[in-house]
Amino acid sequence: MAKSKQEIIGYCLKCREKRVMSSTSAEFNRRGSPITRGVCSVCGTRMALTGRTKAHEGLEKPKPKSKPKRGNLVIVESPTKARTIRRILGKDYRVLASYGHVRDLLRSRLSVDIENDFTPEYRVPNEKRKVIKTLKQAVEESELVFLATDLDREGEAIAWHIAQATGLEPERTKRVVFHEVTQDAIRSAFANPSEMNDSLIDSQQARRIVDRLVGYQISPILWEKVRNRITAGRVQTVAVRMVVEREREIEAFVPQEYWTIEVELNRELPADEPNPSFRAKLHRIRGEKPDLTGQDQVDPIVAYLKTAQYQVEDVRLGKRRRNPTPPFITSTLQQTAFGRLGFRARRTMRTAQQLYEGVEINGQSHGLITYMRTDSVYSAPSAVQLARKWVKSNFSDDYLPKKPRFFRAKARLAQEAHEAIRPTMVSRTPDSIKHALSSDQYKLYDLIWRRFVASQMAAAVYSTQ
């Protein structure tokens, strides 16, 4: 602290006007900001003026006191998942949510430096500044920070953006991933943390940059030709091309006329006896395949068939086996939910996210399904054994195959390290928790649960003739 000989004028709250400050002293406050303290030369009221003066030159700025560390911090994406993880980990961990992405490209311009190796320009959106402020303060107060965002490249990128926006040092950063929000999976993940995956981060950044480069050139065309305020990125652009190519095929199609002939038959029985009919389709006439490209060829054949006598020469009875389909992956879940429930993709994924993050059941939050963004049909052996045990206890041995069923994805680049979409506990049947689920949650969980249980059952046998 040093005395100042410079005449300093400040605002006196008692006099309600500017006054010369006397007995001034230059110093730094607890935050390290320069301030000048003194009293009003007229009434003697204490005064303070912020800002650096000549009297501050040569003064050593005090080092800010380091706050005591408060244990470990866990950052997840959603508050629902935060509540579930907080219950499982206990009071030794502080769990906060980032509410999704915390940084993005600027909306007002391209935000990609094409001339400088396509370097992206990120910023924290206004609506996320309060979240970042809270996370940054929590990071400063914590010893270790566990980034527990989702395990896909989007989640990996969110974890990286959180670290960048909060100034988190690599030596204090731990990355944890889990396929299901259950006690065993979470404790195992926290017992074996890893580092952030740079390849996944770069992959997500590349997708975002391509979206921006393509969208900023295509979207204005849509505004002009279709309607305002709609956008197109890398995916929509490819879809538009597929639609155009298909439309060109339709326009170039040359229609060709063809006919089919069927007859409805039944046995010659008395009128009082039941006599079900069946349909037969014409394949050959007098040993040759008929020409049915016009009505001129069809009418004579129909006239002949109306007066013909029919006889069944052979009936072949057989059995057809149908193996169960694999558990759901993201695409098959969306397709089946649309076909059976009428759910569009966004509704399906929103509901699946809720089931994955946790649903309140009897006062506690439980994750009901494994991670819903996957292209793998693999299921953990422990989950398969529990499914087989449930089938055996609820059905007979005839419904259980001799060996467990393990499926492999047909896609060449499928992520086999992930699991298929399945219930975290097969004993948690849809009807047993229906009271705790919304209508959409129950319908989708019932679909996922039945598909997984059926995947571990014996092949269906159909009679054919």
Side-chain angles (χ1 to χ4, degrees):
M1 186 182 297
K3 296 291 182 180
S4 172
K5 296 180 180 180
Q6 179 185 7
E7 186 177 87
I8 299 176
I9 298 176
Y11 186 83
C12 177
L13 295 175
K14 186 174 182 180
C15 298
R16 296 187 177 181
E17 60 179 283
K18 293 182 178 180
R19 298 290 191 186
V20 176
M21 295 173 62
S22 60
S23 303
T24 58
S25 61
E27 56 186 81
F28 293 91
N29 61 17
R30 286 180 295 180
R31 295 182 178 179
S33 302
I35 189 173
T36 302
R37 300 186 187 277
V39 296
C40 176
S41 57
V42 176
C43 66
T45 301
R46 292 181 181 179
M47 300 174 63
L49 184 68
T50 58
R52 181 177 290 274
T53 64
K54 291 184 178 180
H56 287 90
E57 296 178 1
L59 290 180
E60 184 178 355
K61 187 175 180 179
K63 296 181 179 179
K65 295 181 180 180
S66 58
K67 296 181 180 180
K69 302 298 182 183
R70 292 172 49 185
N72 298 325
L73 173 67
V74 181
I75 301 178
V76 299
E77 292 180 51
S78 75
T80 304
K81 190 194 292 187
R83 289 192 294 269
T84 307
I85 294 178
R86 188 182 298 116
R87 175 182 60 82
I88 294 174
L89 295 178
K91 60 182 180 180
D92 293 335
Y93 292 83
R94 184 182 180 188
V95 186
L96 297 177
S98 71
Y99 297 88
H101 277 280
V102 296
R103 294 199 310 175
D104 198 4
L105 302 175
L106 279 76
R107 300 171 185 171
S108 57
R109 55 178 183 268
L110 187 62
S111 297
V112 178
D113 191 350
I114 299 176
E115 303 298 331
N116 187 21
D117 200 23
F118 296 94
T119 303
E121 181 182 357
Y122 295 111
R123 69 180 289 273
V124 177
N126 294 334
E127 63 270 17
K128 286 300 180 74
R129 291 186 177 181
K130 187 175 180 181
V131 174
I132 285 297
K133 183 179 179 181
T134 302
L135 293 179
K136 193 171 184 179
Q137 181 178 353
V139 165
E140 292 175 354
E141 297 172 350
S142 304
E143 294 181 4
L144 294 177
V145 179
F146 294 85
L147 301 176
T149 51
D150 290 344
L151 62 154
D152 58 2
R153 52 190 159 197
E154 199 79 16
E156 201 76 22
I158 291 175
W160 177 74
H161 282 298
I162 291 173
Q164 295 292 314
T166 59
L168 179 59
E169 304 91 342
E171 57 271 17
R172 290 200 296 134
T173 305
K174 301 294 181 182
R175 178 76 171 110
V176 291
V177 295
F178 35 83
H179 297 84
E180 55 188 64
V181 187
T182 59
Q183 181 170 306
D184 292 341
I186 289 175
R187 288 184 174 176
S188 175
F190 277 83
N192 302 279
S194 60
E195 305 296 328
M196 280 192 282
N197 189 322
D198 292 336
S199 296
L200 290 180
I201 296 170
D202 292 342
S203 174
Q204 193 277 339
Q205 288 195 92
R207 294 178 65 187
R208 190 71 186 93
I209 291 170
V210 172
D211 265 337
R212 180 57 62 94
L213 294 176
V214 174
Y216 264 52
Q217 299 180 61
I218 299 297
S219 296
I221 300 176
L222 294 180
W223 301 340
E224 179 182 349
K225 302 295 184 182
V226 185
R227 66 178 170 84
N228 199 12
R229 301 182 67 84
I230 60 175
T231 60
R234 54 186 172 78
V235 176
Q236 295 90 338
T237 306
V238 176
V240 169
R241 175 164 182 169
M242 293 173 66
V243 171
V244 171
E245 290 177 348
R246 183 59 177 160
E247 184 66 24
R248 288 173 179 170
E249 291 178 4
I250 293 173
E251 291 177 352
F253 176 74
V254 179
Q256 294 181 343
E257 182 179 356
Y258 72 94
W259 293 66
T260 60
I261 299 177
E262 293 183 357
V263 293
E264 187 169 359
L265 306 172
N266 53 23
R267 299 170 62 189
E268 293 181 351
L269 295 175
D272 57 344
E273 293 188 24
N275 192 3
S277 62
F278 63 94
R279 286 193 173 189
K281 185 176 180 180
L282 177 64
H283 287 278
R284 294 183 181 275
I285 185 168
R286 299 185 183 93
E288 296 181 358
K289 189 173 182 180
D291 181 13
L292 303 177
T293 57
Q295 190 168 357
D296 294 342
Q297 290 83 17
V298 172
D299 287 343
I301 298 175
V302 171
Y304 170 74
L305 293 177
K306 286 181 177 180
T307 60
Q309 294 292 320
Y310 298 89
Q311 180 179 353
V312 176
E313 293 185 353
D314 185 25
V315 176
R316 297 179 183 178
L317 300 178
K319 290 185 178 181
R320 180 170 60 89
R321 298 174 61 86
R322 180 182 175 188
N323 290 321
T325 51
F328 284 124
I329 60 176
T330 304
S331 59
T332 55
L333 176 63
Q334 292 175 347
Q335 294 163 12
T336 307
F338 180 77
R340 296 190 183 180
L341 307 176
F343 288 6
R344 295 198 175 274
R346 181 174 295 182
R347 184 179 178 184
T348 298
M349 298 311 292
R350 181 178 64 247
T351 307
Q353 183 86 30
Q354 297 166 0
L355 296 174
Y356 165 71
E357 291 176 348
V359 175
E360 199 81 13
I361 301 175
N362 299 328
Q364 291 188 344
S365 183
H366 298 274
L368 300 183
I369 65 171
T370 52
Y371 192 56
M372 64 286 160
R373 296 190 183 277
T374 177
D375 55 5
S376 171
V377 291
Y378 170 78
S379 296
S382 57
V384 170
Q385 290 299 329
L386 289 175
R388 288 174 58 84
K389 183 177 179 181
W390 189 92
V391 171
K392 186 174 182 178
S393 61
N394 288 272
F395 298 93
S396 66
D397 290 340
D398 295 336
Y399 290 84
L400 195 66
K402 294 181 179 180
K403 295 182 179 180
R405 295 184 184 275
F406 290 99
F407 302 89
R408 293 189 62 85
K410 296 180 181 179
R412 184 172 59 89
L413 299 178
Q415 299 292 326
E416 289 295 335
H418 298 174
E419 278 198 67
I421 305 172
R422 61 166 177 83
T424 55
M425 287 182 59
V426 74
S427 58
R428 193 180 283 133
T429 63
D431 289 339
S432 68
I433 58 173
K434 185 177 182 179
H435 65 280
L437 304 179
S438 67
S439 176
D440 282 4
Q441 290 172 349
Y442 171 76
K443 291 176 182 177
L444 194 65
Y445 181 69
D446 183 68
L447 208 63
I448 294 170
W449 185 90
R450 289 178 182 276
R451 175 79 165 232
F452 176 66
V453 172
S455 71
Q456 293 304 319
M457 298 181 74
V461 180
Y462 298 91
S463 296
T464 61
Q465 65 178 22

